Amino acid sequence: MEFIKGITFAAFSPKGSLETPEAEQSLRNLAERTNANFMILVPVGLQDTPQSEEIDYRSEATVSDKELAMTIRNARALGLRVALKPTVNCRNGVWRAHINFFDEDVPCEPKWSNWFPAYTDFQLHYAEIAQREGCEMFLPGCEMVQSERREQEWRQLIEKIRGEFGGLVSYNTDKYQEHNVKWWDALDVISSSGYYPIDDWERQLDRIEAVVRKFNKPFFFAECGCMSTEGSKMVPNDWNMKGAVDLEGQADWYRTMFTAGSKRDWVGGYALWDWSWKQYPLAEAAMDKKYDIYGKPAEQVVAEFYGHK
């Protein structure tokens, strides 16, 4: 696997967003300003609650297949390799990691045996697009922690995806969960969300390394990022963090992550979270507290690391 200098683009963007001039310019900015060579697109599927059995990926909340394909083609024309990572969210705001059902089917209760076929339909729809548009990688899900114990269903899903998609297949487990997934052998690449505190990278990389060595697979961080909010560098996964703007804290977090990862020959890259389809004016970058790096000191850290890697 070629080293991944990646960024997630336009995550969970609604229908029509990627056909806009703002999105086209944002994509060009990504390619021109960051030295990235890889981009992940994240079409969203929605279920009402963590115990719902139906997944909707055809509503106004999800980009159309047409604009998704157009964006893949535009990205490839800019020299970016592309991955698709269809991701399910809950409309009621509960994090997808809590999607869960009884281990045994119970009459009149929601069931894994109903949810997984819906999830498989969702994933295969986008696997077909990924194959047709020449994507390099497909990731059938992100941070689905409670479902990961359902090993048989995940193996069946991965086998079906391989029937539609001929590229690399990975899965994005959550931070601190890399050692709990038992079915990495069914995949080509191990990946996870690298939202680790700035002072804990070495310890976490030691733990992840044991998993990578056990399964002897390539590895990359399919998500990683830190908000430019005071305190975020210690809890980078907390997107609700409140505080003052801390541009240097965000830059320091990226610098620390890249330095720690560069010491490990098995870290095969990063896909940063995230690059918005509709960007704030550059003059307002210093006021933004979110994960975006556009126009911030962290962008320079990323561009320098990606430019020399």
Side-chain angles (χ1 to χ4, degrees):
M1 182 182 74
E2 182 182 348
F3 191 87
I4 291 173
K5 299 184 285 188
I7 298 180
T8 298
F9 178 68
F12 311 139
S13 48
K15 186 171 291 183
S17 58
L18 298 187
E19 295 178 313
T20 62
E22 293 94 336
E24 293 178 7
Q25 183 60 56
S26 180
L27 180 58
R28 287 193 295 270
N29 287 343
L30 186 157
E32 294 169 2
R33 296 174 66 97
T34 68
N35 290 315
N37 66 4
F38 191 96
M39 184 182 80
I40 297 182
L41 289 165
V42 189
V44 68
L46 294 174
Q47 58 184 74
D48 289 338
T49 75
Q51 280 70 55
S52 298
E53 297 174 324
E54 297 179 356
I55 299 171
D56 179 10
Y57 56 90
R58 301 184 186 278
S59 74
E60 296 300 307
T62 304
V63 295
S64 69
D65 294 349
K66 176 185 175 183
E67 62 188 305
L68 184 65
M70 178 196 71
T71 303
I72 294 169
R73 294 169 194 167
N74 290 345
R76 296 184 68 202
L78 290 167
L80 297 167
R81 295 139 59 203
V82 181
L84 286 192
K85 187 176 70 173
T87 299
V88 67
N89 284 332
C90 300
R91 285 193 175 97
N92 69 352
V94 176
W95 180 34
R96 74 190 77 90
H98 298 293
I99 293 171
N100 198 13
F101 305 93
F102 295 152
D103 280 333
E104 301 292 337
D105 281 2
V106 176
C108 299
E109 296 292 344
K111 302 168 180 62
W112 285 119
S113 60
N114 291 333
W115 182 86
F116 260 105
Y119 191 74
T120 298
D121 175 74
F122 170 52
Q123 294 296 331
L124 292 181
H125 175 81
Y126 289 104
E128 293 171 4
I129 294 174
Q131 176 67 22
R132 185 168 66 244
E133 299 300 330
C135 290
E136 177 171 296
M137 185 183 292
F138 189 83
L139 299 94
C142 174
E143 302 169 351
M144 303 292 291
V145 177
Q146 296 287 1
S147 77
E148 290 171 3
R149 70 183 188 275
R150 305 292 296 189
E151 181 175 351
Q152 180 179 355
E153 288 96 330
W154 275 105
R155 289 184 180 277
Q156 290 171 345
L157 170 61
I158 293 163
E159 183 177 359
K160 290 178 180 179
I161 287 168
R162 291 195 185 281
E164 301 290 344
F165 179 70
L168 296 172
V169 181
S170 185
Y171 166 75
N172 180 180
T173 192
D174 192 33
K175 58 202 174 295
Y176 304 103
Q177 303 301 319
E178 295 91 347
H179 62 287
N180 289 324
V181 178
K182 308 303 181 187
W183 32 274
W184 289 126
D185 61 287
L187 295 160
D188 302 307
V189 181
I190 298 171
S191 63
S192 71
S193 292
Y195 298 100
Y196 292 116
I198 192 170
D199 61 355
D200 200 29
W201 273 103
E202 296 295 346
R203 187 168 70 95
Q204 296 306 326
L205 288 171
D206 285 344
R207 180 182 56 78
I208 298 169
E209 182 168 355
V211 179
V212 174
R213 300 302 186 199
K214 175 182 178 180
F215 288 95
N216 192 29
K217 299 281 185 177
F219 172 90
F220 82 110
F221 287 108
E223 281 189 25
C224 50
C226 176
M227 297 199 303
S228 50
T229 299
E230 189 175 28
S232 187
K233 66 182 181 181
M234 300 306 299
V235 195
N237 58 300
D238 185 358
W239 58 88
N240 293 314
M241 178 73 68
K242 306 297 182 184
V245 176
D246 185 8
L247 300 177
E248 289 304 323
Q250 182 187 44
D252 288 343
W253 185 89
Y254 273 105
R255 206 174 284 115
T256 299
M257 177 183 69
F258 289 144
T259 298
S262 294
K263 300 175 186 176
R264 316 279 178 143
D265 60 3
W266 51 269
V267 174
Y270 310 84
L272 315 182
W273 188 271
D274 66 333
W275 193 275
S276 301
W277 69 267
K278 188 175 183 178
Q279 299 182 298
Y280 43 73
L282 270 178
E284 298 178 10
M287 296 179 283
D288 183 80
K289 299 181 181 181
K290 297 181 180 179
Y291 286 98
D292 304 74
I293 62 172
Y294 177 58
K296 300 177 185 178
E299 183 188 74
Q300 295 303 311
V301 174
V302 170
E304 181 178 355
F305 178 78
Y306 280 179
H308 289 90
K309 187 64 181 177

